[in-house]
Amino acid sequence: MSGARTVIVTTKNEGPFLLEWVLYHRLIGFDNIVVFANDCEDGSDKLLKLLDKEGVIRFFDNSELSDDLPADPQNRAYRRAFEMDHVQESEWVLVIDADEFFNIHAGEGRLDDLFAAVGEADVISGTWRVFGNAGLVEYRDDLVTQTFTRCAPVDRQVSFRHFGMKSMFRPEPVHRLGIHRPFLKGRYKKPEGGLRWVNGSGVDVTRYYLTKGWSSSPATVGYALCQVNHYMIKSNELFLMKRYRGTANSQDQDRINFDYYDAFNSNHVEDRSITRWSDAIREAKEALIVDHPEIGKAHDKCVTFFEKKIGALIKSLKKDDPEVWEKLIEPKSLRASIDADVAWLKATPPLRQKVQERAGPKAAETLTDEDDAPRWLADLRRSDYRRGFYHSDDKFAAHFAERERDVLMISFDNLSNVNDKALSREGWGYSFYRDHKWSHLGIMSFEANWYRDPRLFDWFEARVADGAFNGFGKVVLTGTSMGAYGAMAFARLFKKADVLAFSPQTSLDGKLVPWETRFASGRKQDWSGRYRDATQKLKGCGNVFVLYDPGFELDRKHAERVKGANVHHLKTWFSSHKSALFLRRANLLKPLVEAAVAGQLDEQTFYKLYRQRRSLPWYVNGLTDAALGRGHHGLVGNVANVLEREGRVHLAKSVRQRLTEAD
C-alpha cells in the first residue's frame, strides 16, 4: 500500500448511509478505506462484507472484546487499525466518523488539490461544519450531502464544541490514533522536531497542537481549503435513530439526548459546496449496484430496518412524551427553530480572525498580533548570523541568510508550495541548512510557473553580477520536480556549482519534450528565451546529481536528457515521482545531502547508502508489485522469507497474501 491514502471509520447501525460515504471518499482520492463495525442490528455488517469482497473497502468486525484492547469500540478499532501494515505504510491517514465527510474546497475538491495547496505538511486538520436538519422531519433514502445543506457559520463560534476537528496525517510521526487528532511520538512533540501541522486554510498551527488539543479555536480555525461536514442530526426521524443507537464509543443513550439535539441542530446558513459531487456519487452508486445487485439488496435491507424502527420509535415517543414528539415531528416547530438561528446570526458579531486565510492569491492578507514571524526573520534578528535580506516580487520571493561561508545552499520550492501564503513560509530545507550553519538562499515561487519569470531572471543575474554570492567555498543548488528544474536552470550562473535535482523536469517546452503530458500550468508558460532548457550549460558546473525512479517513464526521459562527464544518474527505484520524499522516509535524504556538500557523493557512495531502502515498506511493496507484474513469484516468496527472518512479520504476511492472490 505504498503511497496509499487511507481513511479509517468506525460504525454501528448506519447501513443506509454507508454507500454514499464510501463512494464519496473514494471519489475524492482515498484508495484504502478501512471500516470497523460493531454490534450491528440493521444489516450493515452484511453490506460491508459484500463491499469488502468486491475490493471496495477493507471490513473488520470490531464487536469482539479483548483483554489487551480498550473496552469502547472506537478506540479498540483505532488500536487495531494502527497495527495493520497497510495503514502504517500509507502516505496519508484520516480518522473520521460515518456521519462526517471530508469536504475539500481547493481546486476540484480532491486530495491532490489539497496537497498541492497546502504544500509540505505532516498533519492537516479540518474543522467541523455542523449541519442541522434543514427543517426536515422524515427520513428518506437519499444523499445526506445533498439533503442537508444548512449548517453553522464559519465566522461565528456557536459553541466551542462546534469547532471540533478531524485530522489527516502521515503515519511516521504518530504514536497512536485519536478521535480528533493523532498523538505524536516524543521527538515530534518538541518545537525543534520538524513537524508541520496546518489547519483547514493551510496555515501553520503547529505550536498549538504538539502535545494536546482536539478542537480549533478563533486562534487556529480556517476553512479556506477544507472542512469536515458533520451531519450530527440529519432529519428528526433520523435523530431518533441516532439516539436509539447511542454513540460509537459509548453505550450511554443519554449522551444523545434532546439537549444534544438543541445544541447541534445548526441551521444558521446554507452551504452546498459538497453537492458538486452529488451526480458523481449517484452514478458510482448506480454502477456498483448494476454490477453487484447483492450490494443493492443489502442496502435496501438496511433502509427497511430503519423505516420499521423509526415507526416504532415515533409511536413510543408520542405515547410516552407528547411534548417532545410535538417538538420533533410537528413541522410548525421546525421553521421557528431555523428563524431563531438566523436571528442569532444577525445579532452576533463575527469573530476576529487571528490566523491568515489562504483562499487563493486574491485573498485579503492582513497582519495580526497572532501572526508568527518566519524563522528566517527571527534568525536574522536574534541568532549569531544577522546578515541577510528578503526580496519580494509579484511572482517570487527570496530570502538569504549568511552564516558560515564554507557552503551556500540555494533551494527552489516545488509545486506544492506555490499557494502557501503564510508569513511563516520559508525556503525548501531551511531548518536542515540552518542546523549545519550553511548559508542559504531560498527561492520561493508564488505561481505554478516553473520559475519562467523574466523579473526573476533579471533579479538573479543582477545579484550574481553584483557579487552578492561571491566568496563561498561551495555552492549547491537543489530542488525537487519544479524546484529541480530551477536548480539546474540557474546553476549556470555559478562557476563549478554542484546540483542536487530530485525527480526533475529539464523543460516543459513542447518542442523539446513533446512526450511530457503533466503539469498543464507549467506547459502554458513562455518557454522561449533564457533558461529554456535546463540541460544547457551544465558542463561549467561541478557535480550534477540527478535522482529519479527509472521505472517512472516521464521522469526517466527527463533524466536521460541530462548528459555530461560531470552528470551522475542516481536511481531511486520504486520512488515514483517522489524521490526526495522516498529518501526522507528512508532516512537517507539528510546523509545524502551531507555527502554531496562534503564532496563525498558518487555512485558507489549513493548505492551503499541506498541499501537502507530495504527497511522501508514503500520499497518492499514497490519491489513486490514489480516482481508480481513480471511473473517472478519465486522472488516475492524470497522477499517474504527475508522479512520473516528479520522479524517483520506483518509486512511478510502482507507480501504472502498478495502472492497468494496473484497465483
Side-chain angles (χ1 to χ4, degrees), residues 542-560:
N543 288 305
V544 178
F545 300 100
V546 182
L547 296 100
Y548 66 100
D549 179 355
F552 194 82
E553 183 181 11
L554 295 181
D555 281 4
R556 175 180 56 77
K557 286 186 173 183
H558 280 290
E560 289 172 348

Tab-separated table of all heavy atoms in Angstrom, residues 542-560:
chain	number	residue	atom	x	y	z
A	542	GLY	N	29.897	21.950	-11.343
A	542	GLY	CA	30.624	20.873	-10.696
A	542	GLY	C	29.886	19.570	-10.918
A	542	GLY	O	29.563	19.222	-12.055
A	543	ASN	N	29.578	18.875	-9.874
A	543	ASN	CA	28.841	17.622	-9.990
A	543	ASN	C	27.345	17.902	-10.087
A	543	ASN	O	26.793	18.678	-9.299
A	543	ASN	CB	29.111	16.735	-8.775
A	543	ASN	CG	30.519	16.164	-8.789
A	543	ASN	OD1	30.929	15.531	-9.752
A	543	ASN	ND2	31.263	16.408	-7.713
A	544	VAL	N	26.701	17.248	-11.045
A	544	VAL	CA	25.260	17.364	-11.228
A	544	VAL	C	24.654	15.994	-10.914
A	544	VAL	O	24.868	15.028	-11.661
A	544	VAL	CB	24.898	17.808	-12.655
A	544	VAL	CG1	23.379	17.872	-12.821
A	544	VAL	CG2	25.531	19.157	-12.971
A	545	PHE	N	23.934	15.920	-9.813
A	545	PHE	CA	23.318	14.662	-9.387
A	545	PHE	C	21.839	14.692	-9.744
A	545	PHE	O	21.103	15.578	-9.292
A	545	PHE	CB	23.488	14.466	-7.882
A	545	PHE	CG	24.924	14.408	-7.435
A	545	PHE	CD1	25.540	15.524	-6.875
A	545	PHE	CD2	25.671	13.245	-7.594
A	545	PHE	CE1	26.860	15.476	-6.464
A	545	PHE	CE2	26.996	13.187	-7.182
A	545	PHE	CZ	27.594	14.310	-6.622
A	546	VAL	N	21.410	13.731	-10.553
A	546	VAL	CA	20.015	13.624	-10.969
A	546	VAL	C	19.443	12.369	-10.333
A	546	VAL	O	19.875	11.249	-10.637
A	546	VAL	CB	19.889	13.561	-12.503
A	546	VAL	CG1	18.422	13.504	-12.908
A	546	VAL	CG2	20.577	14.766	-13.138
A	547	LEU	N	18.470	12.542	-9.435
A	547	LEU	CA	17.890	11.418	-8.696
A	547	LEU	C	16.478	11.179	-9.189
A	547	LEU	O	15.650	12.109	-9.193
A	547	LEU	CB	17.903	11.715	-7.187
A	547	LEU	CG	19.321	11.861	-6.607
A	547	LEU	CD1	19.683	13.331	-6.451
A	547	LEU	CD2	19.440	11.142	-5.271
A	548	TYR	N	16.171	9.934	-9.575
A	548	TYR	CA	14.885	9.647	-10.207
A	548	TYR	C	14.621	8.151	-10.169
A	548	TYR	O	15.534	7.339	-9.970
A	548	TYR	CB	14.884	10.141	-11.654
A	548	TYR	CG	15.858	9.386	-12.540
A	548	TYR	CD1	15.423	8.375	-13.392
A	548	TYR	CD2	17.223	9.682	-12.511
A	548	TYR	CE1	16.314	7.675	-14.195
A	548	TYR	CE2	18.126	8.992	-13.302
A	548	TYR	CZ	17.665	7.997	-14.141
A	548	TYR	OH	18.545	7.291	-14.926
A	549	ASP	N	13.367	7.797	-10.384
A	549	ASP	CA	12.947	6.392	-10.478
A	549	ASP	C	12.986	5.993	-11.946
A	549	ASP	O	12.185	6.493	-12.747
A	549	ASP	CB	11.530	6.247	-9.909
A	549	ASP	CG	11.007	4.814	-9.980
A	549	ASP	OD1	11.691	3.942	-10.552
A	549	ASP	OD2	9.896	4.573	-9.468
A	550	PRO	N	13.886	5.091	-12.332
A	550	PRO	CA	13.973	4.708	-13.756
A	550	PRO	C	12.735	3.978	-14.252
A	550	PRO	O	12.519	3.890	-15.461
A	550	PRO	CB	15.206	3.797	-13.796
A	550	PRO	CG	15.335	3.274	-12.405
A	550	PRO	CD	14.864	4.368	-11.500
A	551	GLY	N	11.907	3.486	-13.334
A	551	GLY	CA	10.673	2.832	-13.735
A	551	GLY	C	9.530	3.790	-13.974
A	551	GLY	O	8.462	3.380	-14.447
A	552	PHE	N	9.731	5.077	-13.650
A	552	PHE	CA	8.713	6.098	-13.870
A	552	PHE	C	9.068	6.806	-15.173
A	552	PHE	O	9.972	7.635	-15.230
A	552	PHE	CB	8.684	7.076	-12.696
A	552	PHE	CG	7.476	7.963	-12.658
A	552	PHE	CD1	6.278	7.515	-12.117
A	552	PHE	CD2	7.528	9.252	-13.180
A	552	PHE	CE1	5.166	8.327	-12.083
A	552	PHE	CE2	6.421	10.066	-13.156
A	552	PHE	CZ	5.235	9.600	-12.604
A	553	GLU	N	8.358	6.469	-16.240
A	553	GLU	CA	8.814	6.767	-17.598
A	553	GLU	C	9.104	8.242	-17.847
A	553	GLU	O	10.160	8.587	-18.405
A	553	GLU	CB	7.780	6.265	-18.616
A	553	GLU	CG	8.225	6.488	-20.054
A	553	GLU	CD	7.195	6.022	-21.068
A	553	GLU	OE1	6.050	5.728	-20.650
A	553	GLU	OE2	7.529	5.953	-22.258
A	554	LEU	N	8.206	9.119	-17.480
A	554	LEU	CA	8.397	10.530	-17.819
A	554	LEU	C	9.596	11.118	-17.083
A	554	LEU	O	10.370	11.896	-17.663
A	554	LEU	CB	7.122	11.321	-17.517
A	554	LEU	CG	5.910	10.934	-18.360
A	554	LEU	CD1	4.699	11.783	-17.997
A	554	LEU	CD2	6.212	11.081	-19.851
A	555	ASP	N	9.786	10.749	-15.821
A	555	ASP	CA	10.976	11.225	-15.109
A	555	ASP	C	12.246	10.654	-15.731
A	555	ASP	O	13.270	11.335	-15.828
A	555	ASP	CB	10.895	10.835	-13.633
A	555	ASP	CG	9.978	11.754	-12.840
A	555	ASP	OD1	9.353	12.645	-13.451
A	555	ASP	OD2	9.870	11.583	-11.614
A	556	ARG	N	12.175	9.401	-16.139
A	556	ARG	CA	13.346	8.792	-16.772
A	556	ARG	C	13.715	9.529	-18.060
A	556	ARG	O	14.904	9.764	-18.330
A	556	ARG	CB	13.065	7.315	-17.071
A	556	ARG	CG	14.197	6.620	-17.844
A	556	ARG	CD	13.891	5.161	-18.116
A	556	ARG	NE	12.633	4.973	-18.820
A	556	ARG	CZ	12.451	5.185	-20.121
A	556	ARG	NH1	13.472	5.604	-20.873
A	556	ARG	NH2	11.276	4.971	-20.682
A	557	LYS	N	12.730	9.906	-18.853
A	557	LYS	CA	13.017	10.610	-20.109
A	557	LYS	C	13.678	11.961	-19.851
A	557	LYS	O	14.593	12.370	-20.586
A	557	LYS	CB	11.727	10.788	-20.909
A	557	LYS	CG	11.221	9.507	-21.556
A	557	LYS	CD	10.021	9.781	-22.447
A	557	LYS	CE	9.602	8.546	-23.223
A	557	LYS	NZ	8.472	8.821	-24.137
A	558	HIS	N	13.219	12.660	-18.818
A	558	HIS	CA	13.887	13.922	-18.472
A	558	HIS	C	15.327	13.657	-18.040
A	558	HIS	O	16.255	14.370	-18.452
A	558	HIS	CB	13.137	14.630	-17.343
A	558	HIS	CG	11.934	15.391	-17.793
A	558	HIS	ND1	12.014	16.544	-18.548
A	558	HIS	CD2	10.612	15.168	-17.588
A	558	HIS	CE1	10.790	17.004	-18.787
A	558	HIS	NE2	9.919	16.186	-18.217
A	559	ALA	N	15.521	12.641	-17.193
A	559	ALA	CA	16.866	12.347	-16.695
A	559	ALA	C	17.810	11.994	-17.840
A	559	ALA	O	18.992	12.385	-17.833
A	559	ALA	CB	16.803	11.204	-15.683
A	560	GLU	N	17.319	11.270	-18.830
A	560	GLU	CA	18.160	10.866	-19.954
A	560	GLU	C	18.605	12.055	-20.802
A	560	GLU	O	19.578	11.951	-21.558
A	560	GLU	CB	17.416	9.847	-20.814
A	560	GLU	CG	17.277	8.486	-20.130
A	560	GLU	CD	16.366	7.534	-20.887
A	560	GLU	OE1	15.659	8.012	-21.828
A	560	GLU	OE2	16.338	6.328	-20.558
